[in-house]
């Protein structure tokens, strides 16, 4: 029996902070737009604190401050074609929105996601090399978007409970990575 091919959908969404009503607009690739997969926006997953514990952007900081339960994501429109989704995002996330204090967006909409790697390397929470993956296989196995690996690697944060890299080495330098399991001096 032939395995059914999964057709991914692209949603344009708006995530609202239930405390202060500020919003974030973005595009997300998902298998089923009818089911909330935990993605809130701006590389933040509600079920992965490592995606917002070391914030670099206002939306990530807000999720850390208020907690993911204080945010709700709504689908604006579903597309089969990513070009159409990013086109709508460009129409919605304008310079006026970026400058507005009512939105968390910090850049204009319509930009494609960061580089998606073909091969990635998986590491334990202690930085020990575990396995080589194709990005597609890892995304399917861990039920995360491929784009999330680029963000995880760039920000040196955990994704799906592991660290990832484009380079294969025996041991990561854990001083460079965000790791809540390693005690750090707080000032």
């Amino acid at each position: 029996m032939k395995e059914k091919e999964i057709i991914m959908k692209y949603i344009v969404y708006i995530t609202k902070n239930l405390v202060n009503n500020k919003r974030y607009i973005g595009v997300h690739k998902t298998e089923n737009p009818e089911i909330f997969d935990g993605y809130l926006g701006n590389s933040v997953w509600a079920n992965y604190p490592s995606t917002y514990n070391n914030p670099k952007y206002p939306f990530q900081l807000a999720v850390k401050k208020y907690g993911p339960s204080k945010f709700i994501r709504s689908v604006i429109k579903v597309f089969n074609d990513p070009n159409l989704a990013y086109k709508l995002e460009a129409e919605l996330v304008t310079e006026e929105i970026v400058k507005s204090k009512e939105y968390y967006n910090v850049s204009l909409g319509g930009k494609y996601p960061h580089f998606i790697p073909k091969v990635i390397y998986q590491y334990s929470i202690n930085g020990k090399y575990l396995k080589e993956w194709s990005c597609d296989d890892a995304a399917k196995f861990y039920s995360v978007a491929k784009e999330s690996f680029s963000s995880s690697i760039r920000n040196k944060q955990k994704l799906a409970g592991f660290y990832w890299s484009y380079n294969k080495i025996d041991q990561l330098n854990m001083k460079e990575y965000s790791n809540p399991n390693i005690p750090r001096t707080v000032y």
Side-chain angles (χ1 to χ4, degrees), residues 43-78:
S43 301
V44 172
W45 292 81
N47 45 347
Y48 294 110
S50 63
T51 63
Y52 55 85
N53 275 343
N54 296 299
K56 294 189 183 333
Y57 301 103
F59 182 76
Q60 296 168 345
L61 180 63
V63 175
K64 181 178 180 178
K65 178 179 178 179
Y66 298 107
S69 66
K70 299 295 183 191
F71 292 81
I72 187 166
R73 187 187 78 193
S74 303
V75 175
I76 297 171
K77 192 161 184 181
V78 178

Short mmCIF file of all heavy atoms in Angstrom, two decimals, residues 43-78:
data_model
loop_
_atom_site.label_atom_id
_atom_site.label_comp_id
_atom_site.label_asym_id
_atom_site.label_seq_id
_atom_site.Cartn_x
_atom_site.Cartn_y
_atom_site.Cartn_z
N SER A 43 8.77 32.26 15.54
CA SER A 43 9.56 31.10 15.99
C SER A 43 9.20 30.63 17.39
O SER A 43 9.97 29.91 18.02
CB SER A 43 11.07 31.38 15.91
OG SER A 43 11.43 31.68 14.58
N VAL A 44 8.06 31.03 17.92
CA VAL A 44 7.62 30.65 19.27
C VAL A 44 6.60 29.52 19.20
O VAL A 44 5.58 29.64 18.52
CB VAL A 44 7.01 31.85 20.02
CG1 VAL A 44 6.38 31.41 21.33
CG2 VAL A 44 8.06 32.91 20.26
N TRP A 45 6.91 28.45 19.92
CA TRP A 45 6.00 27.32 20.07
C TRP A 45 5.54 27.29 21.52
O TRP A 45 6.37 27.29 22.44
CB TRP A 45 6.70 26.01 19.72
CG TRP A 45 7.04 25.90 18.27
CD1 TRP A 45 8.12 26.45 17.64
CD2 TRP A 45 6.29 25.24 17.26
NE1 TRP A 45 8.08 26.16 16.30
CE2 TRP A 45 6.98 25.41 16.04
CE3 TRP A 45 5.11 24.49 17.27
CZ2 TRP A 45 6.51 24.88 14.84
CZ3 TRP A 45 4.66 23.96 16.08
CH2 TRP A 45 5.35 24.15 14.88
N ALA A 46 4.24 27.24 21.74
CA ALA A 46 3.67 27.26 23.09
C ALA A 46 4.21 26.13 23.95
O ALA A 46 4.42 26.30 25.15
CB ALA A 46 2.15 27.20 23.02
N ASN A 47 4.45 24.97 23.35
CA ASN A 47 4.87 23.80 24.11
C ASN A 47 6.39 23.65 24.21
O ASN A 47 6.87 22.64 24.72
CB ASN A 47 4.24 22.54 23.51
CG ASN A 47 4.31 22.50 22.00
OD1 ASN A 47 4.62 23.48 21.35
ND2 ASN A 47 4.02 21.35 21.44
N TYR A 48 7.16 24.64 23.75
CA TYR A 48 8.62 24.60 23.84
C TYR A 48 9.14 25.91 24.44
O TYR A 48 9.44 26.85 23.71
CB TYR A 48 9.27 24.36 22.47
CG TYR A 48 8.97 23.00 21.91
CD1 TYR A 48 8.14 22.85 20.80
CD2 TYR A 48 9.49 21.85 22.50
CE1 TYR A 48 7.85 21.60 20.29
CE2 TYR A 48 9.19 20.59 22.00
CZ TYR A 48 8.37 20.48 20.89
OH TYR A 48 8.08 19.23 20.39
N PRO A 49 9.27 25.98 25.76
CA PRO A 49 9.76 27.21 26.40
C PRO A 49 11.10 27.68 25.86
O PRO A 49 11.40 28.87 25.89
CB PRO A 49 9.86 26.83 27.88
CG PRO A 49 8.87 25.73 28.05
CD PRO A 49 8.90 24.96 26.75
N SER A 50 11.92 26.78 25.34
CA SER A 50 13.22 27.20 24.80
C SER A 50 13.06 28.14 23.61
O SER A 50 13.99 28.85 23.27
CB SER A 50 14.04 25.97 24.39
OG SER A 50 13.41 25.26 23.34
N THR A 51 11.87 28.18 23.00
CA THR A 51 11.67 29.07 21.85
C THR A 51 11.35 30.50 22.28
O THR A 51 11.31 31.39 21.43
CB THR A 51 10.54 28.55 20.93
OG1 THR A 51 9.30 28.53 21.64
CG2 THR A 51 10.87 27.18 20.39
N TYR A 52 11.13 30.72 23.58
CA TYR A 52 10.86 32.09 24.04
C TYR A 52 11.58 32.46 25.33
O TYR A 52 11.50 33.59 25.79
CB TYR A 52 9.35 32.35 24.18
CG TYR A 52 8.61 31.38 25.08
CD1 TYR A 52 8.57 31.57 26.45
CD2 TYR A 52 7.94 30.29 24.55
CE1 TYR A 52 7.89 30.70 27.28
CE2 TYR A 52 7.25 29.42 25.37
CZ TYR A 52 7.23 29.61 26.72
OH TYR A 52 6.56 28.74 27.53
N ASN A 53 12.32 31.54 25.93
CA ASN A 53 13.01 31.84 27.19
C ASN A 53 14.18 32.81 27.03
O ASN A 53 14.59 33.44 27.98
CB ASN A 53 13.49 30.56 27.86
CG ASN A 53 12.41 29.93 28.71
OD1 ASN A 53 11.43 30.58 29.06
ND2 ASN A 53 12.57 28.67 29.04
N ASN A 54 14.75 32.89 25.84
CA ASN A 54 15.84 33.81 25.56
C ASN A 54 15.41 34.72 24.41
O ASN A 54 15.89 34.59 23.29
CB ASN A 54 17.12 33.05 25.19
CG ASN A 54 17.61 32.21 26.34
OD1 ASN A 54 17.92 32.75 27.39
ND2 ASN A 54 17.65 30.91 26.16
N PRO A 55 14.49 35.65 24.69
CA PRO A 55 13.87 36.44 23.62
C PRO A 55 14.82 37.38 22.91
O PRO A 55 15.70 37.97 23.52
CB PRO A 55 12.78 37.23 24.36
CG PRO A 55 13.25 37.30 25.77
CD PRO A 55 14.02 36.04 26.02
N LYS A 56 14.62 37.49 21.60
CA LYS A 56 15.37 38.43 20.78
C LYS A 56 14.45 39.47 20.17
O LYS A 56 14.91 40.48 19.67
CB LYS A 56 16.11 37.67 19.67
CG LYS A 56 17.21 36.75 20.19
CD LYS A 56 18.01 36.21 19.03
CE LYS A 56 19.07 35.24 19.32
NZ LYS A 56 19.79 35.08 20.44
N TYR A 57 13.16 39.20 20.17
CA TYR A 57 12.18 40.09 19.55
C TYR A 57 11.05 40.39 20.54
O TYR A 57 10.81 39.62 21.47
CB TYR A 57 11.61 39.45 18.28
CG TYR A 57 12.67 39.14 17.27
CD1 TYR A 57 13.13 37.84 17.08
CD2 TYR A 57 13.24 40.14 16.51
CE1 TYR A 57 14.12 37.55 16.17
CE2 TYR A 57 14.23 39.88 15.58
CZ TYR A 57 14.67 38.57 15.41
OH TYR A 57 15.66 38.30 14.51
N PRO A 58 10.34 41.50 20.32
CA PRO A 58 9.27 41.89 21.25
C PRO A 58 8.21 40.81 21.47
O PRO A 58 7.74 40.62 22.59
CB PRO A 58 8.67 43.14 20.60
CG PRO A 58 9.78 43.71 19.79
CD PRO A 58 10.56 42.53 19.29
N PHE A 59 7.82 40.09 20.40
CA PHE A 59 6.81 39.06 20.57
C PHE A 59 7.31 37.94 21.48
O PHE A 59 6.60 37.47 22.37
CB PHE A 59 6.36 38.50 19.22
CG PHE A 59 5.28 37.46 19.34
CD1 PHE A 59 3.97 37.83 19.60
CD2 PHE A 59 5.57 36.11 19.22
CE1 PHE A 59 2.97 36.88 19.75
CE2 PHE A 59 4.59 35.15 19.35
CZ PHE A 59 3.27 35.53 19.62
N GLN A 60 8.55 37.52 21.28
CA GLN A 60 9.13 36.47 22.12
C GLN A 60 9.21 36.92 23.58
O GLN A 60 8.92 36.15 24.50
CB GLN A 60 10.52 36.10 21.60
CG GLN A 60 10.49 35.48 20.22
CD GLN A 60 11.86 35.39 19.59
OE1 GLN A 60 12.83 36.02 20.03
NE2 GLN A 60 11.95 34.61 18.52
N LEU A 61 9.58 38.17 23.80
CA LEU A 61 9.65 38.74 25.14
C LEU A 61 8.26 38.73 25.80
O LEU A 61 8.12 38.39 26.97
CB LEU A 61 10.21 40.15 25.10
CG LEU A 61 10.33 40.86 26.46
CD1 LEU A 61 11.31 40.14 27.36
CD2 LEU A 61 10.78 42.30 26.25
N ALA A 62 7.24 39.08 25.02
CA ALA A 62 5.87 39.11 25.56
C ALA A 62 5.41 37.71 25.96
O ALA A 62 4.77 37.53 27.00
CB ALA A 62 4.92 39.71 24.53
N VAL A 63 5.73 36.71 25.15
CA VAL A 63 5.34 35.34 25.50
C VAL A 63 6.06 34.89 26.76
O VAL A 63 5.47 34.26 27.64
CB VAL A 63 5.59 34.36 24.33
CG1 VAL A 63 5.29 32.92 24.75
CG2 VAL A 63 4.75 34.74 23.11
N LYS A 64 7.32 35.28 26.88
CA LYS A 64 8.05 34.94 28.11
C LYS A 64 7.42 35.65 29.31
O LYS A 64 7.25 35.06 30.37
CB LYS A 64 9.53 35.36 27.98
CG LYS A 64 10.34 35.02 29.22
CD LYS A 64 11.79 35.38 29.05
CE LYS A 64 12.57 35.01 30.31
NZ LYS A 64 13.99 35.29 30.19
N LYS A 65 7.06 36.92 29.16
CA LYS A 65 6.50 37.72 30.25
C LYS A 65 5.12 37.22 30.69
O LYS A 65 4.86 37.04 31.88
CB LYS A 65 6.41 39.18 29.83
CG LYS A 65 5.80 40.10 30.88
CD LYS A 65 5.76 41.53 30.39
CE LYS A 65 5.12 42.44 31.42
NZ LYS A 65 5.08 43.84 30.98
N TYR A 66 4.22 37.01 29.73
CA TYR A 66 2.84 36.67 30.05
C TYR A 66 2.54 35.18 30.06
O TYR A 66 1.54 34.75 30.62
CB TYR A 66 1.88 37.36 29.06
CG TYR A 66 1.96 38.86 29.11
CD1 TYR A 66 2.58 39.58 28.09
CD2 TYR A 66 1.42 39.58 30.17
CE1 TYR A 66 2.65 40.96 28.12
CE2 TYR A 66 1.49 40.96 30.20
CZ TYR A 66 2.11 41.64 29.18
OH TYR A 66 2.17 43.01 29.22
N GLY A 67 3.38 34.39 29.39
CA GLY A 67 3.14 32.96 29.27
C GLY A 67 2.33 32.65 28.02
O GLY A 67 1.47 33.45 27.62
N PRO A 68 2.57 31.49 27.40
CA PRO A 68 1.89 31.17 26.14
C PRO A 68 0.37 31.03 26.28
O PRO A 68 -0.36 31.24 25.31
CB PRO A 68 2.52 29.84 25.72
CG PRO A 68 3.24 29.33 26.90
CD PRO A 68 3.54 30.48 27.80
N SER A 69 -0.13 30.75 27.46
CA SER A 69 -1.58 30.61 27.64
C SER A 69 -2.32 31.93 27.50
O SER A 69 -3.54 31.94 27.37
CB SER A 69 -1.89 29.97 28.99
OG SER A 69 -1.51 30.85 30.04
N LYS A 70 -1.60 33.03 27.50
CA LYS A 70 -2.22 34.36 27.37
C LYS A 70 -2.27 34.82 25.91
O LYS A 70 -2.55 35.99 25.64
CB LYS A 70 -1.46 35.39 28.21
CG LYS A 70 -1.46 35.08 29.69
CD LYS A 70 -2.85 35.14 30.27
CE LYS A 70 -2.79 34.89 31.77
NZ LYS A 70 -4.07 34.69 32.35
N PHE A 71 -2.00 33.92 24.98
CA PHE A 71 -2.01 34.24 23.56
C PHE A 71 -2.94 33.29 22.83
O PHE A 71 -3.03 32.11 23.18
CB PHE A 71 -0.60 34.14 22.97
CG PHE A 71 0.32 35.20 23.49
CD1 PHE A 71 0.94 35.05 24.72
CD2 PHE A 71 0.56 36.35 22.76
CE1 PHE A 71 1.77 36.04 25.23
CE2 PHE A 71 1.39 37.34 23.25
CZ PHE A 71 2.00 37.18 24.48
N ILE A 72 -3.62 33.81 21.83
CA ILE A 72 -4.50 32.99 21.01
C ILE A 72 -4.23 33.30 19.54
O ILE A 72 -4.14 34.46 19.14
CB ILE A 72 -5.99 33.20 21.37
CG1 ILE A 72 -6.85 32.21 20.61
CG2 ILE A 72 -6.43 34.62 21.14
CD1 ILE A 72 -8.27 32.11 21.15
N ARG A 73 -4.05 32.23 18.76
CA ARG A 73 -3.78 32.39 17.33
C ARG A 73 -5.05 32.12 16.55
O ARG A 73 -5.75 31.14 16.80
CB ARG A 73 -2.70 31.41 16.89
CG ARG A 73 -2.25 31.64 15.44
CD ARG A 73 -1.32 30.57 14.95
NE ARG A 73 -2.09 29.38 14.60
CZ ARG A 73 -1.57 28.18 14.39
NH1 ARG A 73 -0.28 28.00 14.50
NH2 ARG A 73 -2.33 27.16 14.07
N SER A 74 -5.35 32.98 15.58
CA SER A 74 -6.50 32.81 14.70
C SER A 74 -6.01 32.79 13.25
O SER A 74 -5.11 33.54 12.89
CB SER A 74 -7.48 33.96 14.86
OG SER A 74 -7.91 34.07 16.19
N VAL A 75 -6.62 31.95 12.46
CA VAL A 75 -6.26 31.85 11.05
C VAL A 75 -7.02 32.92 10.27
O VAL A 75 -8.24 33.03 10.38
CB VAL A 75 -6.57 30.45 10.50
CG1 VAL A 75 -6.31 30.38 9.00
CG2 VAL A 75 -5.76 29.39 11.24
N ILE A 76 -6.29 33.69 9.50
CA ILE A 76 -6.90 34.70 8.63
C ILE A 76 -7.30 34.04 7.31
O ILE A 76 -8.42 34.19 6.85
CB ILE A 76 -5.94 35.88 8.38
CG1 ILE A 76 -5.65 36.60 9.70
CG2 ILE A 76 -6.50 36.84 7.33
CD1 ILE A 76 -4.54 37.65 9.62
N LYS A 77 -6.34 33.29 6.71
CA LYS A 77 -6.62 32.63 5.44
C LYS A 77 -5.67 31.46 5.24
O LYS A 77 -4.52 31.52 5.69
CB LYS A 77 -6.50 33.63 4.28
CG LYS A 77 -7.04 33.11 2.98
CD LYS A 77 -7.32 34.22 2.00
CE LYS A 77 -7.97 33.60 0.77
NZ LYS A 77 -8.27 34.58 -0.26
N VAL A 78 -6.13 30.42 4.55
CA VAL A 78 -5.34 29.22 4.27
C VAL A 78 -5.00 29.19 2.79
O VAL A 78 -5.86 29.47 1.94
CB VAL A 78 -6.12 27.94 4.66
CG1 VAL A 78 -5.32 26.69 4.34
CG2 VAL A 78 -6.52 27.97 6.13
#
